[in-house]
Amino acid sequence: MNNTISKTNKSASSTVLIVDDNAENRLLLASQLGMEGYRILQASGGAEGIASAQQHNPDIILLDVMMPDMNGFEVCKHLKADAKTHLIPVIMVTALRETQYRIEGIEVGADEFLSRPHVREELLVRVRTLIQLKRARVRLEEERNRLQLLYNVSRAIAISTRLNLASTMSEIIIQTREAVGATKGNIMLLDEAGQVSAKFLIRAGSDLEVSNQVNQNVMTHGLGGWLIRNKKGDIVENINEDERWLTLPDDQSEIGSAIGVPLATSERTVGVLILNHPQEGYFTGEHLALLETIGAQATATIENASLFTQVSEERRKLEAILAQSTDAIITTDEEWSISLLNHSAEKMFGISATNVQNQSIRALPQLQVLVPLFENALNGDQKEISLTNGRILYASISPIQEVGYAAVMQDVTEFKRIEELRLEQERREKQRVKETFSRYMGPKLVDHVLSHEPGLLSRRERRRAVVMFADLRNWTGGMIMKVEPNIAIEQLNEFFTNMMEIALENEGTVFELTADEILVGFNAPFDQPNAHYLAVKTAIAMQYKFNELRQGWYKRAGTELGLGIGIDLGDIVMGNVGAESRMSFRMVGEAMNKAHRLVETAEDGQIVISTVVYDALHNHLPNLAQPMSFHQIGPVHLKGLGVPQMVYVTQVARPSLRKE
């Protein structure tokens, strides 16, 4: 139960963007991932998907390949070229299975592929794994930025006097008072709320006083407040006559002049520096210019100290995060000497971070497998590496300018095992489909189904199809009982073999071979715009081939047979039909019934087509309809159809039968 809660909470913080122009596909993916707690975004096209990715920065994108406005390869290439979206992992969800499409996907930056119809468990594993990989990459980029920042800060520290803020401010006010010849000087630092956080006061002949106790009126009505509001320095010629000077209870006898500058950045004022002298008009413009220069230096020092404190805290937090990361992380300087090695890296490579600190990658046998990657780090290579213990790592080495390198390694051993199992399952499924459909269609069409029609066996759909029945005449009612059984079966097998070959040559799908009849479909199970032409062409070829067959049968066994063919065009329902123990791919529907009634009316040598088929031929292929001499007959009463039908018939000449 605890594992489930953890998993759901983790998923709840992750966002998945589904880009697919098919609403049913989006609904399926969204429902499966939504049940795992993922937040779902959807886009119905490539351009919309790019806009959504740029706006919402999802954790992963499931991207369809075939879309009308932009295909998935174009979308993926655009996302990977955009600095805002290039780290988002992309899973290409596609029915395209050829290697060339996977290569094209890899070339445009796709991280993974998911074949339709997908397995839910595989989907969840891939999504979860790639989101973890993305987070590792983001953490690596954040670490890269922070390390760059730490390096810049360290250089600023080297130039500055100190980063101990109290010591630095004390030194500044002491030296400034002495340099200007003032009798009193103080620096008051402000926090982000504008309140005094520290006061450094020095009087001639006295020790430095440091406190955080300040009369707030000084920062509102006194000179300090004026400096903050106006963000510029000024001179008070006579403190007893200038309303900006506020005399405090313990300084009632104070006389003379004052000068002050704000310690201000472009964003806020971080403090004020004020000096006093008992002589009226003591301070000059040169004093003010000098004080402004010193104030700028003091401001830089304050900012450096503040930034160093923040960066130190960030680094501490980062090191704590890296220590807990499940990915192995190693950072080095530019000479490959190790500066950080987290707990996962210790465990993965069997080394101690303490023992290898400041040692070169080259000097450690356990890390020799990383040397080629470090050598090619400038190329941005990301590779799989194998350890001697059998573990497989996905490693990425990134150079950090003027700092060194950062290596992130993810253990993908289990993922690779799952991938191998998935590929094996894909191979078995492909072989099963190939074996199944080899019974219905030729090798060319089987390859088409495997490449473009995934999941055909599980599909159930209604479509417009051309249905053709070819039926033997004088077989079951006559000749089968007049010849020897072995001769009858040989003739029947020869008939089916030749008729099926003709159907397959003309891209037909043979749905049934039953009794003395063959059923062929066109525009089913996939689109064929010229289906009506293919059906009539197949029927003509069958009649001519049958004339050759009947000659041989008559000469060898005296068998007198005929062949009639009926063709209709209409709606059918297609799918895997049967009992659980015996299934076959079939079509059923009105066009099936009518085509069967038409073949019943066909005499030997005739091809009978419905008005719908004739109109399709006449409208699209008039040169085929006329030479075939289809002539209209009817109205014809067809069994099961209430209204008499007009049909079209053509006759292929029957040969004279002669015995040798």
Side-chain angles (χ1 to χ4, degrees), residues 396-461:
S396 172
I397 313 295
S398 301
I400 304 173
Q401 187 176 6
E402 299 182 357
V403 174
Y405 299 89
V408 175
M409 290 143 289
Q410 183 181 34
D411 189 339
V412 295
T413 308
E414 189 64 18
F415 178 77
K416 294 291 290 184
R417 186 187 68 81
I418 294 172
E419 178 70 5
E420 290 173 359
L421 292 175
R422 182 191 65 79
L423 291 175
E424 179 60 29
Q425 183 180 1
E426 282 186 1
R427 286 192 289 268
R428 289 198 300 268
E429 177 64 17
K430 185 175 182 178
Q431 184 61 32
R432 185 176 75 89
V433 173
K434 188 171 185 178
E435 291 173 355
T436 299
F437 280 100
S438 293
R439 303 198 303 266
Y440 299 98
M441 57 189 70
K444 179 180 177 182
L445 295 186
V446 170
D447 291 340
H448 175 87
V449 167
L450 293 175
S451 301
H452 298 88
E453 306 286 340
L456 186 58
L457 282 176
S458 61
R459 277 166 44 189
R460 302 169 184 177
E461 61 179 323

Coordinates of all heavy atoms in Angstrom, one line a residue, residues 396-461:
S396 N 26.0 10.2 -19.6 CA 26.1 11.5 -20.3 C 27.2 12.4 -19.6 O 27.1 12.6 -18.4 CB 24.8 12.2 -20.2 OG 24.9 13.6 -20.7
I397 N 28.2 12.8 -20.4 CA 29.3 13.6 -19.9 C 29.1 15.0 -20.5 O 29.1 15.2 -21.7 CB 30.6 13.1 -20.2 CG1 30.7 11.6 -19.9 CG2 31.7 13.9 -19.5 CD1 30.6 11.2 -18.5
S398 N 29.0 16.0 -19.6 CA 28.8 17.4 -20.1 C 29.9 18.3 -19.6 O 30.2 18.3 -18.4 CB 27.4 17.9 -19.6 OG 26.4 17.1 -20.0
P399 N 30.5 19.0 -20.5 CA 31.5 20.0 -20.1 C 30.9 21.3 -19.5 O 29.9 21.7 -20.0 CB 32.3 20.3 -21.4 CG 31.3 20.1 -22.5 CD 30.4 19.0 -22.0
I400 N 31.5 21.8 -18.4 CA 31.1 23.0 -17.8 C 32.2 24.0 -18.0 O 33.3 23.8 -17.4 CB 30.7 22.8 -16.3 CG1 29.7 21.7 -16.1 CG2 30.2 24.1 -15.7 CD1 29.4 21.4 -14.7
Q401 N 31.9 25.1 -18.8 CA 33.0 26.0 -19.1 C 33.7 26.6 -17.9 O 33.2 27.0 -17.0 CB 32.4 27.2 -20.0 CG 33.4 28.1 -20.5 CD 32.8 29.2 -21.4 OE1 31.6 29.3 -21.5 NE2 33.6 29.9 -22.1
E402 N 35.1 26.5 -18.0 CA 36.0 27.0 -17.0 C 35.8 26.3 -15.6 O 36.2 26.9 -14.6 CB 35.9 28.5 -16.9 CG 36.2 29.2 -18.1 CD 36.1 30.8 -18.0 OE1 35.8 31.2 -16.9 OE2 36.5 31.5 -18.9
V403 N 35.0 25.2 -15.6 CA 34.8 24.5 -14.3 C 35.3 23.1 -14.4 O 36.1 22.6 -13.6 CB 33.4 24.6 -13.9 CG1 33.1 23.7 -12.6 CG2 32.9 26.0 -13.6
G404 N 34.9 22.4 -15.4 CA 35.2 21.0 -15.6 C 34.2 20.2 -16.3 O 33.6 20.6 -17.3
Y405 N 33.8 19.0 -15.7 CA 32.9 18.1 -16.3 C 31.9 17.6 -15.3 O 32.3 17.5 -14.1 CB 33.6 16.9 -17.0 CG 34.5 17.4 -18.1 CD1 35.9 17.7 -17.8 CD2 34.1 17.5 -19.4 CE1 36.8 18.1 -18.8 CE2 35.0 17.9 -20.4 CZ 36.3 18.2 -20.1 OH 37.2 18.6 -21.1
A406 N 30.7 17.2 -15.8 CA 29.8 16.5 -14.9 C 29.3 15.3 -15.6 O 28.9 15.4 -16.8 CB 28.6 17.5 -14.6
A407 N 29.3 14.2 -15.0 CA 28.9 12.9 -15.6 C 27.7 12.4 -14.8 O 27.7 12.3 -13.6 CB 30.0 11.9 -15.5
V408 N 26.6 12.1 -15.6 CA 25.4 11.5 -15.0 C 25.2 10.1 -15.6 O 25.2 10.0 -16.8 CB 24.2 12.4 -15.2 CG1 22.9 11.7 -14.7 CG2 24.4 13.7 -14.5
M409 N 25.1 9.1 -14.8 CA 24.9 7.7 -15.2 C 23.7 7.1 -14.6 O 23.5 7.1 -13.4 CB 26.2 6.9 -14.9 CG 27.4 7.3 -15.7 SD 28.9 7.2 -14.8 CE 28.7 8.6 -13.7
Q410 N 22.8 6.6 -15.5 CA 21.6 6.0 -15.0 C 21.7 4.5 -15.3 O 22.1 4.0 -16.4 CB 20.4 6.5 -15.7 CG 19.1 6.0 -15.3 CD 17.9 6.5 -16.0 OE1 18.0 6.8 -17.2 NE2 16.8 6.7 -15.4
D411 N 21.3 3.7 -14.3 CA 21.3 2.2 -14.4 C 20.1 1.8 -15.2 O 19.0 1.9 -14.7 CB 21.3 1.6 -13.0 CG 21.6 0.1 -13.1 OD1 21.3 -0.5 -14.2 OD2 21.9 -0.5 -12.1
V412 N 20.3 1.3 -16.4 CA 19.2 0.9 -17.3 C 19.2 -0.6 -17.5 O 18.6 -1.0 -18.5 CB 19.3 1.7 -18.7 CG1 19.1 3.2 -18.5 CG2 20.6 1.4 -19.4
T413 N 19.8 -1.3 -16.6 CA 19.9 -2.8 -16.8 C 18.5 -3.4 -16.9 O 18.2 -4.1 -17.8 CB 20.7 -3.4 -15.7 OG1 21.9 -2.8 -15.5 CG2 20.9 -4.9 -15.9
E414 N 17.6 -3.0 -16.0 CA 16.3 -3.5 -15.9 C 15.5 -3.1 -17.1 O 14.7 -3.8 -17.7 CB 15.6 -3.2 -14.6 CG 14.3 -3.9 -14.4 CD 14.4 -5.4 -14.2 OE1 15.5 -5.8 -14.0 OE2 13.4 -6.1 -14.4
F415 N 15.7 -1.8 -17.5 CA 15.0 -1.3 -18.6 C 15.3 -2.0 -19.9 O 14.5 -2.3 -20.8 CB 15.3 0.2 -18.8 CG 14.6 0.9 -20.0 CD1 13.3 1.2 -20.0 CD2 15.4 1.1 -21.1 CE1 12.7 1.8 -21.1 CE2 14.8 1.7 -22.2 CZ 13.4 2.0 -22.2
K416 N 16.7 -2.3 -20.1 CA 17.1 -3.1 -21.2 C 16.5 -4.5 -21.3 O 16.2 -5.0 -22.3 CB 18.6 -3.1 -21.2 CG 19.4 -1.8 -21.4 CD 19.2 -1.3 -22.8 CE 19.9 -2.0 -23.8 NZ 19.8 -1.4 -25.2
R417 N 16.4 -5.1 -20.1 CA 15.8 -6.4 -20.0 C 14.3 -6.4 -20.5 O 13.9 -7.2 -21.3 CB 15.9 -7.0 -18.6 CG 15.4 -8.4 -18.5 CD 15.4 -8.8 -17.0 NE 14.3 -8.1 -16.3 CZ 13.0 -8.5 -16.3 NH1 12.6 -9.5 -17.0 NH2 12.2 -7.8 -15.6
I418 N 13.6 -5.3 -20.0 CA 12.2 -5.2 -20.4 C 12.1 -4.9 -21.9 O 11.2 -5.4 -22.6 CB 11.6 -4.0 -19.6 CG1 11.5 -4.4 -18.1 CG2 10.2 -3.7 -20.1 CD1 11.0 -3.3 -17.2
E419 N 13.1 -4.1 -22.4 CA 13.1 -3.8 -23.8 C 13.3 -5.0 -24.7 O 12.7 -5.2 -25.7 CB 14.2 -2.7 -24.1 CG 14.3 -2.4 -25.6 CD 13.2 -1.6 -26.1 OE1 12.3 -1.2 -25.3 OE2 13.2 -1.3 -27.3
E420 N 14.2 -5.9 -24.2 CA 14.5 -7.1 -24.9 C 13.2 -8.0 -24.9 O 12.9 -8.7 -25.9 CB 15.7 -7.9 -24.3 CG 17.0 -7.2 -24.6 CD 18.1 -7.8 -23.8 OE1 17.8 -8.8 -23.0 OE2 19.3 -7.3 -23.9
L421 N 12.6 -8.1 -23.8 CA 11.3 -8.9 -23.7 C 10.3 -8.3 -24.6 O 9.5 -9.1 -25.3 CB 10.8 -8.9 -22.3 CG 11.6 -9.7 -21.2 CD1 11.1 -9.5 -19.8 CD2 11.7 -11.1 -21.6
R422 N 10.2 -7.0 -24.7 CA 9.2 -6.3 -25.6 C 9.5 -6.6 -27.0 O 8.6 -7.0 -27.8 CB 9.2 -4.8 -25.3 CG 8.2 -4.1 -26.2 CD 8.4 -2.6 -26.1 NE 9.7 -2.2 -26.7 CZ 9.8 -2.1 -28.0 NH1 8.8 -2.4 -28.9 NH2 11.0 -1.8 -28.5
L423 N 10.8 -6.6 -27.4 CA 11.1 -6.8 -28.8 C 10.8 -8.3 -29.2 O 10.4 -8.6 -30.3 CB 12.6 -6.5 -29.0 CG 13.0 -5.0 -29.0 CD1 14.5 -4.9 -29.1 CD2 12.3 -4.2 -30.0
E424 N 11.1 -9.2 -28.2 CA 10.8 -10.6 -28.5 C 9.3 -10.8 -28.6 O 8.9 -11.6 -29.5 CB 11.4 -11.4 -27.3 CG 11.1 -12.9 -27.5 CD 11.7 -13.5 -28.8 OE1 12.7 -13.0 -29.2 OE2 11.1 -14.5 -29.3
Q425 N 8.5 -10.1 -27.8 CA 7.1 -10.2 -27.9 C 6.6 -9.6 -29.3 O 5.7 -10.2 -29.9 CB 6.4 -9.4 -26.8 CG 4.9 -9.5 -26.8 CD 4.3 -8.7 -25.6 OE1 5.0 -8.1 -24.9 NE2 3.0 -8.8 -25.5
E426 N 7.2 -8.5 -29.7 CA 6.9 -7.9 -31.0 C 7.2 -8.9 -32.1 O 6.4 -9.1 -33.1 CB 7.7 -6.7 -31.2 CG 7.1 -5.4 -30.5 CD 7.9 -4.2 -30.9 OE1 8.8 -4.3 -31.7 OE2 7.5 -3.1 -30.3
R427 N 8.4 -9.6 -32.0 CA 8.7 -10.6 -33.1 C 7.7 -11.7 -33.1 O 7.3 -12.2 -34.2 CB 10.1 -11.1 -32.8 CG 11.2 -10.1 -33.2 CD 12.6 -10.8 -33.2 NE 13.0 -11.2 -31.8 CZ 13.7 -10.4 -31.1 NH1 14.1 -9.2 -31.5 NH2 14.1 -10.8 -29.9
R428 N 7.3 -12.2 -31.9 CA 6.3 -13.3 -31.9 C 5.0 -12.9 -32.5 O 4.3 -13.6 -33.2 CB 6.2 -13.8 -30.5 CG 7.4 -14.6 -29.9 CD 7.0 -15.4 -28.7 NE 6.5 -14.6 -27.6 CZ 7.2 -14.1 -26.7 NH1 8.5 -14.3 -26.6 NH2 6.7 -13.3 -25.7
E429 N 4.6 -11.7 -32.1 CA 3.3 -11.1 -32.6 C 3.3 -11.0 -34.1 O 2.4 -11.3 -34.8 CB 3.0 -9.8 -31.9 CG 1.7 -9.1 -32.4 CD 0.5 -9.9 -32.1 OE1 0.5 -10.9 -31.2 OE2 -0.6 -9.6 -32.7
K430 N 4.4 -10.4 -34.6 CA 4.6 -10.2 -36.0 C 4.5 -11.6 -36.8 O 3.9 -11.7 -37.8 CB 5.9 -9.5 -36.3 CG 6.1 -9.1 -37.8 CD 7.3 -8.3 -38.0 CE 7.5 -7.9 -39.5 NZ 8.7 -7.1 -39.7
Q431 N 5.2 -12.6 -36.2 CA 5.1 -13.9 -36.9 C 3.7 -14.5 -36.8 O 3.3 -15.1 -37.8 CB 6.1 -14.8 -36.2 CG 6.3 -16.2 -36.8 CD 6.8 -16.1 -38.2 OE1 7.5 -15.2 -38.6 NE2 6.3 -17.1 -39.1
R432 N 3.0 -14.3 -35.7 CA 1.7 -14.8 -35.6 C 0.7 -14.2 -36.7 O 0.0 -14.8 -37.3 CB 1.1 -14.6 -34.2 CG -0.3 -15.2 -34.0 CD -0.7 -15.0 -32.5 NE -1.1 -13.6 -32.3 CZ -2.4 -13.2 -32.4 NH1 -3.3 -14.0 -32.8 NH2 -2.6 -11.9 -32.1
V433 N 0.9 -12.8 -36.8 CA 0.1 -12.1 -37.8 C 0.4 -12.6 -39.2 O -0.5 -12.8 -40.0 CB 0.3 -10.6 -37.6 CG1 -0.4 -9.8 -38.7 CG2 -0.3 -10.1 -36.3
K434 N 1.7 -12.7 -39.4 CA 2.1 -13.1 -40.8 C 1.6 -14.5 -41.1 O 1.1 -14.7 -42.2 CB 3.7 -13.1 -40.8 CG 4.2 -13.4 -42.2 CD 5.7 -13.1 -42.3 CE 6.2 -13.3 -43.7 NZ 7.7 -13.0 -43.8
E435 N 1.7 -15.4 -40.2 CA 1.1 -16.8 -40.4 C -0.4 -16.8 -40.6 O -0.9 -17.5 -41.5 CB 1.5 -17.7 -39.2 CG 3.0 -18.0 -39.1 CD 3.3 -18.7 -37.9 OE1 2.4 -19.0 -37.0 OE2 4.5 -19.1 -37.7
T436 N -1.0 -15.9 -39.9 CA -2.5 -15.8 -40.0 C -2.9 -15.3 -41.3 O -3.7 -15.9 -42.1 CB -3.1 -15.0 -38.9 OG1 -2.8 -15.5 -37.6 CG2 -4.6 -14.8 -39.0
F437 N -2.4 -14.2 -41.7 CA -2.8 -13.5 -43.0 C -2.2 -14.1 -44.2 O -2.7 -13.8 -45.3 CB -2.5 -12.0 -42.9 CG -3.5 -11.3 -42.1 CD1 -3.2 -10.9 -40.8 CD2 -4.7 -10.9 -42.6 CE1 -4.1 -10.2 -40.0 CE2 -5.7 -10.3 -41.8 CZ -5.4 -9.9 -40.5
S438 N -1.2 -15.0 -44.1 CA -0.7 -15.7 -45.3 C -1.8 -16.6 -45.8 O -1.8 -17.0 -47.0 CB 0.5 -16.5 -44.9 OG 1.6 -15.6 -44.6
R439 N -2.8 -17.0 -45.0 CA -3.9 -17.8 -45.5 C -4.9 -17.0 -46.3 O -5.7 -17.5 -47.0 CB -4.6 -18.4 -44.3 CG -3.8 -19.3 -43.4 CD -4.6 -20.2 -42.5 NE -5.6 -19.5 -41.7 CZ -5.3 -19.1 -40.5 NH1 -4.2 -19.4 -39.9 NH2 -6.3 -18.5 -39.8
Y440 N -4.9 -15.6 -46.1 CA -5.9 -14.8 -46.8 C -5.4 -14.0 -48.0 O -6.1 -13.7 -48.9 CB -6.5 -13.8 -45.8 CG -7.1 -14.4 -44.6 CD1 -6.5 -14.6 -43.4 CD2 -8.5 -14.9 -44.7 CE1 -7.1 -15.1 -42.3 CE2 -9.1 -15.4 -43.6 CZ -8.4 -15.6 -42.4 OH -9.0 -16.1 -41.3
M441 N -4.1 -13.7 -48.0 CA -3.6 -12.8 -49.0 C -2.2 -13.1 -49.4 O -1.5 -13.9 -48.7 CB -3.7 -11.3 -48.5 CG -3.0 -11.1 -47.2 SD -3.3 -9.4 -46.5 CE -5.0 -9.6 -46.0
G442 N -1.7 -12.5 -50.5 CA -0.3 -12.8 -51.0 C 0.7 -12.1 -50.1 O 0.5 -11.3 -49.3
P443 N 2.0 -12.5 -50.4 CA 3.1 -12.0 -49.6 C 3.2 -10.5 -49.6 O 3.5 -9.8 -48.6 CB 4.4 -12.6 -50.3 CG 3.9 -13.9 -50.9 CD 2.5 -13.5 -51.4
K444 N 2.9 -9.9 -50.8 CA 3.0 -8.4 -50.9 C 2.0 -7.7 -49.9 O 2.3 -6.8 -49.3 CB 2.7 -8.0 -52.3 CG 2.8 -6.5 -52.6 CD 2.5 -6.2 -54.0 CE 2.4 -4.7 -54.2 NZ 2.1 -4.3 -55.6
L445 N 0.8 -8.3 -49.9 CA -0.2 -7.7 -49.0 C 0.0 -8.0 -47.6 O -0.3 -7.2 -46.7 CB -1.6 -8.2 -49.5 CG -2.1 -7.7 -50.9 CD1 -3.5 -8.1 -51.1 CD2 -1.9 -6.2 -51.0
V446 N 0.6 -9.2 -47.3 CA 1.0 -9.5 -45.9 C 2.0 -8.5 -45.4 O 1.9 -8.0 -44.3 CB 1.5 -10.9 -45.8 CG1 2.1 -11.2 -44.4 CG2 0.4 -11.9 -46.1
D447 N 3.0 -8.2 -46.2 CA 4.0 -7.2 -45.8 C 3.3 -5.8 -45.6 O 3.7 -5.1 -44.7 CB 5.1 -7.1 -46.9 CG 5.9 -8.3 -46.9 OD1 6.0 -9.1 -45.9 OD2 6.6 -8.5 -48.0
H448 N 2.3 -5.5 -46.4 CA 1.6 -4.2 -46.3 C 0.9 -4.2 -44.9 O 0.9 -3.2 -44.2 CB 0.6 -4.0 -47.4 CG -0.2 -2.8 -47.3 ND1 0.2 -1.6 -47.7 CD2 -1.5 -2.6 -46.7 CE1 -0.8 -0.7 -47.4 NE2 -1.8 -1.3 -46.8
V449 N 0.2 -5.3 -44.6 CA -0.5 -5.4 -43.3 C 0.4 -5.2 -42.1 O 0.2 -4.4 -41.2 CB -1.3 -6.7 -43.2 CG1 -1.8 -6.9 -41.8 CG2 -2.4 -6.7 -44.2
L450 N 1.6 -5.9 -42.2 CA 2.5 -5.8 -41.1 C 3.1 -4.4 -40.9 O 3.4 -4.0 -39.8 CB 3.7 -6.8 -41.3 CG 3.3 -8.3 -41.2 CD1 4.5 -9.2 -41.6 CD2 2.8 -8.7 -39.9
S451 N 3.2 -3.7 -42.0 CA 3.8 -2.4 -42.0 C 2.8 -1.3 -41.7 O 3.2 -0.3 -41.0 CB 4.5 -2.1 -43.3 OG 5.5 -3.0 -43.5
H452 N 1.6 -1.4 -42.2 CA 0.7 -0.2 -42.2 C -0.6 -0.5 -41.4 O -1.4 0.4 -41.2 CB 0.3 0.2 -43.6 CG 1.5 0.7 -44.4 ND1 2.3 -0.2 -45.1 CD2 2.1 1.9 -44.5 CE1 3.3 0.5 -45.7 NE2 3.2 1.8 -45.3
E453 N -0.9 -1.8 -41.1 CA -2.2 -2.1 -40.5 C -2.0 -2.9 -39.2 O -2.5 -4.0 -39.0 CB -3.1 -2.9 -41.5 CG -3.3 -2.3 -42.8 CD -4.2 -1.1 -42.8 OE1 -5.0 -1.0 -41.8 OE2 -4.2 -0.3 -43.7
P454 N -1.3 -2.3 -38.2 CA -1.1 -3.0 -36.9 C -2.4 -3.3 -36.2 O -3.3 -2.5 -36.3 CB -0.2 -2.1 -36.1 CG -0.4 -0.7 -36.7 CD -0.7 -0.9 -38.2
G455 N -2.5 -4.4 -35.5 CA -3.7 -4.7 -34.8 C -4.8 -5.1 -35.6 O -6.0 -5.0 -35.1
L456 N -4.6 -5.5 -36.8 CA -5.7 -5.8 -37.7 C -6.6 -7.0 -37.2 O -7.8 -6.9 -37.3 CB -5.2 -6.2 -39.1 CG -6.3 -6.4 -40.2 CD1 -7.1 -5.2 -40.4 CD2 -5.6 -6.7 -41.5
L457 N -5.9 -7.9 -36.6 CA -6.7 -9.1 -36.0 C -7.7 -8.7 -34.9 O -8.7 -9.3 -34.8 CB -5.8 -10.2 -35.5 CG -5.1 -11.0 -36.6 CD1 -4.1 -12.0 -35.9 CD2 -6.1 -11.8 -37.4
S458 N -7.4 -7.6 -34.2 CA -8.2 -7.2 -33.1 C -9.2 -6.1 -33.5 O -10.0 -5.7 -32.7 CB -7.4 -6.7 -32.0 OG -6.6 -5.6 -32.4
R459 N -9.1 -5.7 -34.8 CA -10.0 -4.6 -35.3 C -11.4 -5.2 -35.6 O -11.5 -6.2 -36.2 CB -9.4 -3.9 -36.5 CG -8.4 -2.8 -36.0 CD -7.6 -2.3 -37.2 NE -8.3 -2.1 -38.4 CZ -7.7 -1.8 -39.6 NH1 -6.4 -1.7 -39.6 NH2 -8.4 -1.6 -40.7
R460 N -12.4 -4.4 -35.4 CA -13.8 -4.7 -35.8 C -14.3 -3.4 -36.4 O -14.5 -2.4 -35.7 CB -14.6 -5.1 -34.6 CG -14.1 -6.4 -33.9 CD -14.7 -6.7 -32.6 NE -14.1 -7.8 -31.9 CZ -14.5 -8.2 -30.8 NH1 -15.4 -7.6 -30.1 NH2 -13.9 -9.3 -30.2
E461 N -14.6 -3.4 -37.7 CA -15.0 -2.2 -38.3 C -16.0 -2.4 -39.5 O -16.1 -3.5 -40.0 CB -13.8 -1.4 -38.9 CG -13.0 -2.2 -39.9 CD -11.8 -1.4 -40.4 OE1 -11.9 -0.2 -40.5 OE2 -10.7 -2.0 -40.6

